[in-house]
Amino acid sequence: GDAAAAGSYGYTNSGYSVYEEENDRLTESLRTKVSAIKSLSIEIGTEVKNQNKMLSEMENDFDSTGGLLGATMGRLRTLSRGSQTKLLCYMMLFSLFVFFVIYWIIKLR
């Protein structure tokens, strides 16, 4: 009985060893995968921070552009409310000036 018990104990011990080696191998594989996921999540976090920074800068640029456009529109409204005859006079003088410059260039050829 002792030999049979010792033999079965040895078999059980070696079977346990096989399962323990398999568990160790799976544990190491899981540890590698967790490490890869951790580094990937850190890289994603860094990328998200960079993207948020760029979006914030874009928002500031758009705000400043909107302010500039608003100021320009305000000037155009002020100009359009001003005296139309004065503006028309300036446009006519400019047109005459351009006409005489073109006439003079053609005459010199």
Side-chain angles (χ1 to χ4, degrees), residues 17-100:
S17 175
V18 169
Y19 288 129
E20 183 141 344
E21 288 174 12
E22 180 70 15
N23 281 344
D24 288 344
R25 187 179 62 76
L26 290 173
T27 302
E28 188 58 38
S29 172
L30 185 61
R31 185 176 292 126
T32 304
K33 289 176 184 176
V34 167
S35 175
I37 290 173
K38 179 182 176 184
S39 66
L40 184 63
S41 65
I42 289 171
E43 288 176 16
I44 288 173
T46 303
E47 185 64 26
V48 166
K49 286 178 187 175
N50 289 338
Q51 294 292 329
N52 282 339
K53 182 180 173 188
M54 286 186 355
L55 282 173
S56 176
E57 290 172 359
M58 276 180 56
E59 182 180 4
N60 292 339
D61 290 344
F62 280 130
D63 286 345
S64 66
T65 303
L68 182 65
L69 187 59
T72 303
M73 291 303 292
R75 286 188 202 115
L76 282 174
R77 274 190 224 105
T78 303
L79 184 64
S80 68
R81 279 191 232 129
S83 75
Q84 297 294 328
T85 44
K86 194 175 185 181
L87 181 63
L88 188 60
C89 224
Y90 284 139
M91 287 178 61
M92 289 297 289
L93 286 173
F94 179 73
S95 299
L96 284 172
F97 175 75
V98 170
F99 174 76
F100 282 122

